[in-house]
Amino acid sequence: MAKKPNNKRRDFLQLSTVTLGAVGTAAFIWPFLKSMSPAEDTLAAGSTEVDISAIEEGQSITIKWRGKPVFIKKRTKDEIEAAKMVQAGDLRDPQDDADRVQKEEWLVLVGVCTHLGCVPLGQKVSDMKGEYDGWYCPCHGSHYDTSGRIRKGPAPKNLDVPPYTFLNDTTIKIG
Amino acid sequence: MDQNRKVHQFKNPVLNWIEFRLPIISYFKKEYGDYPMPKNCNYFWSFGALATITLVTMIVSGIFLAMNYTPHTDMAFDSVERIMRDVNYGWLMRYIHSNGAAFFFIIVYIHIVRAMYFGSYKYPRELNWILGVFIFLLMMATSFLGYTLPWGQMSYWGATVITNLFSAIPIIGEGLKTWLLGDYNVGNATLNRFFALHYVLPFVIFGVVGLHVAAVHVHGSNNPDGIDIKSKNDSVNFFPYMLIKDTIAMCAFGVAISAVIFFGPNLMAEVDNYIPADPLVTPAHIVPNWYLAPFYAILRAVPDKLGGVLLMFGAIVILFVLPWLDRSKVRSCNYRPIYKWFMMGFFVNFFVLGYVGMLPAEGLYLLIARVGLLYYFGFFFIITPFVGWIEKPNKLPLSISDVYAKNIASNIGGGEKGMPSPAMQKDTNL
């Protein structure tokens, strides 16, 4: 051994080679992973306009928005009262009824249970509506009230309120 | 480089030509010809072979189904019905494939019960056990993906519920779910990728099965007495003895699966899956395939979303560490007077969990599921380490052939149970 090998130089070369290799591999994998995310046309699914003039008080309709069911319900006086009576602080996902509606007779919800994604029952007159007279998810027994808030069962959150605007008194634009 | 290596010589010159270039002939002769099997192995030891045969059957029937299947939300359901009605023998392919999946799980569950009861997971076969649990995980993933493909109501809502499990993960959950689905809900992107993955995973399973078999061949198979082979007297060659035995098991299995395929092909199917998928209507009861029901019962037994998901996956992951939770050196439960009963209790409990997993999660069923959940984890975390510590195992036989000598002696001499046989005494004196 005439000369001690230059370890610093060797370490630098090894480290930079491994780093470059790792970055290169990650850069190569990224497009493959990203290709599994929703495609552009899926993202552009956009908005839906709904005519609500034919909905009677107490009636609820289901429309499809971005592949999901959306509930549009014209609530009765009693239902509005029941929803307002609740102290938000007592709820699992505290929210006042006023924060969940734009006009208090119209309740707009994404009809997807926040537990594991089933569609809750309660849209038809004959459906089970659960203990709080709103919606009831048959999959794992979550009960929602007349504001679509979780009251009992395994679901962690209230039914989502989608973004929507009243274009006029008889038309809602969802999305 | 290695011109001096010893090359096996066969009578057939063609075999010699191949063997010189690729020693595959001697490999098969060693692993499947002369491979020593403990001679006391019972029919429980045929289920590995049965599982391999079923895997091949599933791959073959699946390839032929794929020739007629269309992975598109508008056409998937109809293409499956076309397979059933118009494609020549399409009904047979599909019933073989759908019932084959159920039988695959029956076989693998028996295979796992065998491994647990007779302690096959212990030293030196721990890695073998780990590979096995890995195969089990892959099987569950594959069967879930495959169940989505017919695009019936159960397909759709099963996929929705299972993929929503990932949304329970804090912060990244929702994003992860969307990434897995390729959409905000189960849709065409989901069906396409599920088909692609369902096609490829069985080949991955096949590869891991290769490792699983290679690993068991290193130290040889376990046996009902859980003791090692000590002399040539303790074993028989795989060919022809075990091959014939496995063939008989295969015939019995063939009768059983044929009875279901031809006389009750929908016994294990859910009626709702013959209704096309409807994203706006959830069926009243979403039930998983029965072979996944015990884990589904655990999921529903917990009143918290994240907790349920963690325990469900935990129930599978815990299997990986079983070889280290069990501190007893005695493998077979036949020689473990206390643990034996807890082990049997575990099997019964698993069955009960599966039963309540198929029923609505309310009232008494929910209570049973919670008790079952406690026993499931209690068995691994408390009973297994604790019993291994306090239990005094029965005396192990000196060798496998000694078990036979003892049996023969007691048959001839009518020796009382528990009395040491002459043969055993003789060996003890050695």
Side-chain angles (χ1 to χ4, degrees):
Chain A
M1 290 287 157
K3 199 178 150 193
K4 222 177 133 195
N6 192 342
N7 276 335
K8 263 192 175 168
R9 189 182 144 102
R10 173 75 33 111
D11 286 349
F12 173 76
L13 286 174
Q14 274 183 358
L15 193 69
S16 50
T17 308
V18 169
T19 309
L20 201 66
V23 171
T25 309
F28 184 71
I29 290 172
W30 176 248
F32 290 91
L33 294 180
K34 189 61 188 165
S35 79
M36 287 176 71
S37 292
E40 292 298 326
D41 61 335
T42 312
L43 291 171
S47 56
T48 309
E49 286 183 21
V50 191
D51 179 13
I52 53 171
S53 58
I55 304 174
E56 301 284 335
E57 196 175 286
Q59 195 191 354
S60 188
I61 63 162
T62 305
I63 58 128
K64 206 170 165 182
W65 171 69
R66 290 188 182 168
K68 291 177 196 169
V70 167
F71 298 162
I72 301 174
K73 179 165 180 129
K74 189 170 189 181
R75 298 191 289 183
T76 62
K77 288 272 177 301
D78 291 349
E79 284 167 343
I80 297 168
E81 280 309 307
K84 281 176 151 180
M85 290 276 286
V86 181
Q87 291 291 316
D90 302 340
L91 301 175
R92 184 178 304 167
D93 182 8
Q95 216 174 7
D96 276 319
D97 185 56
D99 296 334
R100 295 177 57 78
V101 291
Q102 293 178 17
K103 295 181 182 179
E104 61 180 28
E105 70 269 30
W106 291 107
L107 179 65
V108 184
L109 300 168
V110 175
V112 175
C113 180
T114 55
H115 180 224
L116 294 176
C118 297
V119 178
L121 297 174
Q123 287 295 89
K124 288 188 216 142
V125 180
S126 56
D127 279 351
M128 268 181 83
K129 289 179 190 296
E131 288 175 22
Y132 297 88
D133 214 27
W135 288 268
Y136 169 72
C137 182
C139 292
H140 309 95
S142 292
H143 299 253
Y144 296 92
D145 66 12
T146 54
S147 188
R149 291 174 295 199
I150 180 67
R151 300 298 288 273
K152 190 183 171 188
K157 284 192 284 190
N158 301 335
L159 291 177
D160 273 339
V161 177
Y164 66 94
T165 43
F166 284 91
L167 295 181
N168 52 49
D169 280 349
T170 58
T171 317
I172 295 184
K173 184 180 157 206
I174 297 168
Chain B
M1 180 179 111
D2 190 11
Q3 289 295 337
N4 296 325
R5 77 188 161 91
K6 221 176 125 218
V7 179
H8 256 276
Q9 290 296 317
F10 300 94
K11 279 179 189 155
N12 187 329
V14 178
L15 293 188
N16 277 332
W17 190 90
I18 296 171
E19 178 69 21
F20 181 67
R21 284 153 185 86
L22 180 70
I24 193 172
I25 318 282
S26 59
Y27 172 79
F28 273 96
K29 190 171 162 359
K30 177 168 167 281
E31 299 296 338
Y32 298 98
D34 307 334
Y35 175 68
M37 280 291 287
K39 66 179 182 182
N40 55 339
C41 282
N42 53 35
Y43 273 108
F44 271 118
W45 267 261
S46 291
F47 282 82
L50 289 183
T52 313
I53 289 159
T54 313
L55 176 62
V56 172
T57 310
M58 292 301 285
I59 290 177
V60 171
S61 56
I63 289 170
F64 282 83
L65 283 171
M67 291 179 191
N68 286 294
Y69 171 76
T70 314
H72 188 280
T73 49
D74 293 338
M75 288 175 270
F77 187 87
D78 291 342
S79 77
V80 172
E81 285 310 300
R82 185 177 158 267
I83 288 170
M84 293 299 290
R85 296 164 197 211
D86 296 331
V87 175
N88 295 312
Y89 293 106
W91 59 273
L92 183 60
M93 302 289 165
R94 176 155 179 266
Y95 281 153
I96 286 174
H97 201 71
S98 62
N99 289 298
F103 273 90
F104 199 4
F105 274 93
I106 294 175
I107 287 167
V108 164
Y109 276 132
I110 295 174
H111 193 64
I112 294 173
V113 162
R114 194 286 317 272
M116 287 180 76
Y117 187 86
F118 297 112
S120 304
Y121 53 83
K122 288 186 196 182
Y123 177 87
R125 300 181 185 87
E126 300 97 323
L127 185 58
N128 205 62
W129 168 260
I130 289 172
L131 287 167
V133 178
F134 198 56
I135 293 169
F136 181 52
L137 264 174
L138 285 170
M139 277 177 66
M140 289 198 282
T142 309
S143 80
F144 159 70
L145 295 169
Y147 195 57
T148 310
L149 304 185
W151 210 244
Q153 273 289 66
M154 279 300 164
S155 301
Y156 183 88
W157 291 103
T160 300
V161 167
I162 299 297
T163 50
N164 261 298
L165 296 179
F166 292 95
S167 71
I169 302 167
I171 304 166
I172 59 159
E174 275 302 323
L176 180 65
K177 187 193 107 187
T178 308
W179 179 73
L180 287 171
L181 293 179
D183 203 335
Y184 296 100
N185 46 298
V186 176
N188 200 47
T190 318
L191 180 58
N192 260 295
R193 64 186 58 184
F194 277 21
F195 178 58
L197 293 173
H198 182 69
Y199 203 110
V200 77
L201 277 185
F203 297 97
V204 178
I205 294 178
F206 198 84
V208 184
V209 167
L211 295 177
H212 187 65
V213 173
V216 78
H217 277 220
V218 174
H219 289 283
S221 300
N222 187 27
N223 58 77
D225 293 296
I227 49 178
D228 295 328
I229 294 176
K230 284 171 186 152
S231 70
K232 268 218 151 263
N233 271 344
D234 291 345
S235 67
V236 291
N237 286 355
F238 185 84
F239 181 85
Y241 301 99
M242 281 300 146
L243 184 70
I244 293 299
K245 191 165 180 167
D246 286 349
T247 306
I248 293 171
M250 202 177 85
C251 291
F253 170 64
V255 170
I257 194 171
S258 300
V260 175
I261 289 171
F262 292 104
F263 296 101
N266 285 312
L267 276 177
M268 290 179 273
E270 291 300 329
V271 200
D272 274 15
N273 221 26
Y274 284 99
I275 302 168
D278 183 351
L280 299 186
V281 181
T282 307
H285 291 298
I286 296 188
V287 270
N289 274 319
W290 62 263
Y291 41 83
L292 303 178
F295 300 105
Y296 194 61
I298 289 175
L299 168 75
R300 297 191 306 178
V302 186
D304 177 72
K305 186 173 169 180
L306 181 62
V309 173
L310 287 179
L311 280 188
M312 186 183 76
F313 285 113
I316 303 163
V317 173
I318 183 88
L319 292 171
F320 281 113
V321 294
L322 175 60
W324 292 276
L325 292 172
D326 186 357
R327 303 305 301 165
S328 173
K329 293 262 186 283
V330 176
R331 292 196 190 106
S332 171
C333 275
N334 281 350
Y335 298 93
R336 301 188 61 184
I338 303 172
Y339 193 58
K340 175 191 202 164
W341 298 107
F342 283 113
M343 183 65 91
M344 293 204 192
F346 179 78
F347 300 146
V348 172
N349 180 57
F350 192 73
F351 189 82
V352 170
L353 274 177
Y355 183 73
V356 294
M358 301 291 288
L359 296 166
E362 47 200 36
L364 183 64
Y365 301 135
L366 189 59
L367 184 70
I368 294 173
R370 284 178 179 163
V371 174
L373 167 76
L374 284 181
Y375 187 79
Y376 188 97
F377 285 98
F379 175 81
F380 285 112
F381 282 121
I382 299 162
I383 294 169
T384 298
F386 187 66
V387 172
W389 183 49
I390 59 156
E391 181 183 56
K392 190 178 178 298
N394 295 346
K395 193 172 182 301
L396 287 172
L398 292 168
S399 70
I400 292 170
S401 52
D402 190 59
V403 178
Y404 285 81
K406 191 174 145 194
N407 284 346
I408 292 165
S410 65
N411 281 345
I412 298 170
E416 276 177 45
K417 238 187 173 176
M419 292 281 283
S421 68
M424 189 140 172
Q425 279 178 328
K426 197 185 84 192
D427 273 348
T428 323
N429 293 337
L430 278 174

